[in-house]
């Protein structure tokens, strides 16, 4: 009888130990999933197929995976569970594309649509992180990551619209240089634009992702980020190209 009572007394302790071990396991799994989500969302991921000139680019947001495969925009829902990327039904715009890009879009859909996807993400080299995705047959494809501006500057950024003149002017920063001329634009809720200042101002530095064309007047949407603790010769903010809003060819006299 004493043995029976002893077993009954030890049984709750065994259950507590099992529950504790399960809780630790669940916590570790949650941490692994959280780390994977963080790594996926802090980069855009590019894969260049051999038979096209345009890469497939993946952008993971909070719960949406956006896919740019060269022509149409594709997307799906996503989450990470049990070391797998779980995706939902694919949606897409429906523009006509050249055959090679249509084939590439179908490849992207087959790779990412409504699947439990085996993957491996490696960010040990922050300058060239990699994301390896396996298809349904086990074939692996390696995507190379580029850090998002939000991760780089550790903020969400402010949306700013800039008109950029085709003409540049000489200016002096740390050394003599050539500056773009810009003026900020505001849009009201009806889409009507006004100028914050009608006069052009010199733009010291570069807009990340934008290449100036002396034969084009353009309006761009940029994300403006504050740079924390800039060096004495560095700007206090960075502009990153978000979208080309308007462009107009300018005839030279």
């Amino acid at each position: 009888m004493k043995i029976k009572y002893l077993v009954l007394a030890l049984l709750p302790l065994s259950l507590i130990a099992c529950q504790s071990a399960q809780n630790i396991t669940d916590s570790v799994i949650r941490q692994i999933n959280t780390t994977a989500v963080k790594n996926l969302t802090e980069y855009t991921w590019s894969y260049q197929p051999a038979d096209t000139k345009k890469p497939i680019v993946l952008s993971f947001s909070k719960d949406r995976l956006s896919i740019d495969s060269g022509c149409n925009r594709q997307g799906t829902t996503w989450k990470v569970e049990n070391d797998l990327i779980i995706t939902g039904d694919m949606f897409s715009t429906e523009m006509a594309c050249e055959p090679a890009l249509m084939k590439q879009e179908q490849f992207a859909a087959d790779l990412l649509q409504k699947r439990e996807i085996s993957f491996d993400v490696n960010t040990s080299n922050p300058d060239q992180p990699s994301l390896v995705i396996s298809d349904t047959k086990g074939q692996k494809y390696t995507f190379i990551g580029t850090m998002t501006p939000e991760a780089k500057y550790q903020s969400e950024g402010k949306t700013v619209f800039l008109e950029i003149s085709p003409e540049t002017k000489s200016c002096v920063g740390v050394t003599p240089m050539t500056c773009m001329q810009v003026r900020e634009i505001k849009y009201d809720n009806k889409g009507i634009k006004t100028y914050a200042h009608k006069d052009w101002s010199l733009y010291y530095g570069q807009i990340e992702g934008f290449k100036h064309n002396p034969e084009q007047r353009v309006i761009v949407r940029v994300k403006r980020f504050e740079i924390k603790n800039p060096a004495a010769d560095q700007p206090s903010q960075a502009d990153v190209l978000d979208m080309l809003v308007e462009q107009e060819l300018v005839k030279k006299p």
Side-chain angles (χ1 to χ4, degrees):
M1 295 294 294
K2 290 182 180 180
I3 295 176
K4 179 179 179 181
Y5 291 141
L6 180 60
V7 170
L8 291 174
L10 291 176
L11 184 59
L13 297 177
S14 298
L15 292 174
I16 291 171
C18 290
Q19 290 174 350
S20 297
Q22 184 62 49
N23 289 339
I24 292 172
T25 301
D26 292 343
S27 177
V28 170
I29 291 173
R30 283 195 300 270
Q31 183 59 47
I32 291 173
N33 290 344
T34 299
T35 300
V37 169
K38 181 176 183 294
N39 289 336
L40 289 170
T41 55
E42 285 191 341
Y43 297 85
T44 55
W45 303 93
S46 299
Y47 169 72
Q48 180 60 66
D51 52 353
T52 66
K53 294 182 179 179
K54 294 186 178 181
I56 297 172
V57 181
L58 310 182
S59 300
F60 293 85
S61 63
K62 183 178 179 181
D63 56 4
R64 176 174 171 171
L65 168 57
S66 298
I67 305 146
D68 182 354
S69 50
C71 182
N72 284 293
R73 301 288 298 187
Q74 299 167 290
T76 182
T77 57
W78 75 285
K79 59 183 177 180
V80 173
E81 285 185 358
N82 300 322
D83 210 23
L84 297 169
I85 297 175
I86 313 297
T87 59
D89 291 320
M90 186 79 72
F91 50 89
S92 174
T93 57
E94 297 182 353
M95 295 186 296
C97 309
E98 61 182 84
L101 291 181
M102 293 294 288
K103 182 179 179 181
Q104 183 159 296
E105 288 179 3
Q106 187 58 53
F107 165 77
D110 292 342
L111 183 64
L112 299 163
Q113 177 174 240
K114 204 169 185 178
R115 288 188 55 218
E116 296 183 354
I117 304 169
S118 176
F119 75 103
D120 179 63
V121 59
N122 186 337
T123 59
S124 58
N125 179 0
D127 294 328
Q128 196 175 31
S130 62
L131 167 64
V132 179
I133 292 178
S134 299
D135 66 12
T136 55
K137 297 179 181 179
Q139 176 70 40
K140 297 181 184 296
Y141 301 92
T142 300
F143 291 72
I144 302 301
T146 301
M147 184 172 284
T148 65
E150 288 79 8
K152 180 179 179 180
Y153 296 109
Q154 294 297 300
S155 66
E156 289 302 313
K158 174 186 176 183
T159 298
V160 177
F161 294 88
L162 298 173
E163 181 179 6
I164 302 174
S165 170
E167 297 181 5
T168 57
K169 283 194 172 182
S170 298
C171 57
V172 178
V174 178
T175 60
M177 55 192 290
T178 300
C179 288
M180 294 188 298
Q181 297 186 89
V182 306
R183 48 188 178 182
E184 186 175 344
I185 290 175
K186 303 285 187 180
Y187 289 93
D188 64 17
N189 55 11
K190 294 182 180 179
I192 298 173
K193 66 183 179 184
T194 58
Y195 291 96
H197 300 284
K198 290 188 177 181
D199 295 331
W200 296 100
S201 61
L202 296 175
Y203 188 94
Y204 295 84
Q206 299 293 326
I207 298 173
E208 294 181 28
F210 174 76
K211 185 177 181 180
H212 181 266
N213 185 338
E215 297 181 351
Q216 281 188 336
R217 180 198 64 83
V218 299
I219 295 176
V220 296
R221 186 176 73 189
V222 302
K223 286 188 175 180
R224 178 164 291 172
F225 299 89
E226 298 299 321
I227 298 177
K228 299 176 181 178
N229 304 315
D233 59 345
Q234 288 183 329
S236 60
Q237 61 188 27
D239 288 341
V240 181
L241 179 66
D242 188 36
M243 185 176 73
L244 183 63
V245 180
E246 293 182 19
Q247 57 182 340
E248 177 188 9
L249 286 175
V250 177
K251 294 182 179 180
K252 292 185 177 181

